[in-house]
Amino acid sequence: APTAFVLTATGDGGNAMSSQMVPIASAGQVRIKTFTATPETIAAGGSSLLAWDTENATSVKIDELNGGNIVPMGTMLSGSTTVMPTTTKTYVITAVGSSGTVTDMKTVTVEGTPVITSFAANPQAIELGATSTLSWSVTGASQITVVDEQANPIYAGTNLNGTVVVTPTMNRTYHLTARSTLGQSVDSNNVTVTVNRAAKILSFGANPSTIPYGSTAALEWSVDRSTSIDIMRAGTTIHT
């Protein structure tokens, strides 16, 4: 439970007070005492030693963030393991005990790894036949490729801050890969462009818009992406 500490300073002109809340772990609470990577920055082809020490844990595992398992869940409550990432990676340690679960993270930076600052589609939702612009900003790469979910090539080149216009006819997901001269490869998050293929009513009106009693008017309409139409009056279909 947190404990409050109060500092009081007394002077001729008056007093001053300040308080500080300090969380104190309860006895038996699981905690990660240390989780380190040595070194934290490596050259391509190098290695780093992950080391950890826990307290009151019954099992521990280490995973690559958004990746595979490094140390399986087990009773190796303190220890070390060597990793050799080809690109910058973040590792997550999870310690489980009777009081709950705690996690910590450590990043190993690989020199020369490309960095994808942004990859986006604007707009993300379009009408059928409209366009969306994919844009990206990357550093440290010598080659950029963009493909859709069917691996169709969208862009391949060296522009680190580029755009490409797409005109998907159905929902499409796009993915960017940045590669360095050393062969390091980094993938972006997926970006999806949603295409509205629903029928669209462009116009619907009466000519004339106001008629005397007993006269007639012509209904006029224009639709797009429609295979059929249906016009009703007071619940009765008058045109299909």
Side-chain angles (χ1 to χ4, degrees), residues 10-107:
T10 304
D12 293 337
N15 300 337
M17 296 181 64
S18 180
S19 63
Q20 179 67 50
M21 298 294 292
V22 179
I24 299 177
S26 59
Q29 182 171 344
V30 62
R31 72 186 184 102
I32 300 167
K33 297 170 66 176
T34 58
F35 183 43
T36 60
T38 307
E40 293 187 359
T41 300
I42 62 175
S47 64
S48 179
L49 183 70
L50 300 179
W52 65 95
D53 187 20
T54 63
E55 185 175 70
N56 299 319
T58 56
S59 58
V60 169
K61 71 169 182 172
I62 297 176
D63 298 303
E64 183 182 296
L65 183 65
N66 299 321
N69 178 252
I70 304 299
V71 176
M73 182 70 80
T75 57
M76 194 174 177
L77 308 182
S78 62
S80 63
T81 189
T82 299
V83 292
M84 298 181 63
T86 57
T87 59
T88 298
K89 297 293 183 183
T90 297
Y91 300 94
V92 183
I93 183 172
T94 302
V96 180
S98 59
S99 63
T101 301
V102 293
T103 62
D104 196 5
M105 294 190 295
K106 182 62 64 175
T107 297

Side-chain angles (χ1 to χ4, degrees), residues 102-162:
V102 293
T103 62
D104 196 5
M105 294 190 295
K106 182 62 64 175
T107 297
V108 176
T109 301
V110 180
E111 295 174 342
T113 299
V115 176
I116 300 173
T117 304
S118 64
F119 179 50
N122 184 33
Q124 291 182 309
I126 62 173
E127 295 291 324
L128 181 64
T131 63
S132 179
T133 300
L134 304 179
S135 61
W136 59 88
S137 178
V138 178
T139 59
S142 60
Q143 179 72 22
I144 303 295
T145 58
V146 179
V147 298
D148 64 18
E149 74 269 28
Q150 297 179 339
N152 296 313
I154 305 300
Y155 174 84
T158 59
N159 193 345
L160 303 186
N161 295 280

Side-chain angles (χ1 to χ4, degrees), residues 206-218:
N207 185 23
S209 58
T210 302
I211 59 175
Y213 180 79
S215 296
T216 62

Side-chain angles (χ1 to χ4, degrees), residues 212-238:
Y213 180 79
S215 296
T216 62
L219 297 178
E220 301 172 340
W221 60 88
S222 176
V223 299
D224 190 19
R225 303 194 298 260
S226 174
T227 57
S228 65
I229 63 168
D230 185 80
I231 301 175
M232 301 183 69
R233 177 188 179 189
T236 301
T237 298
I238 61 173

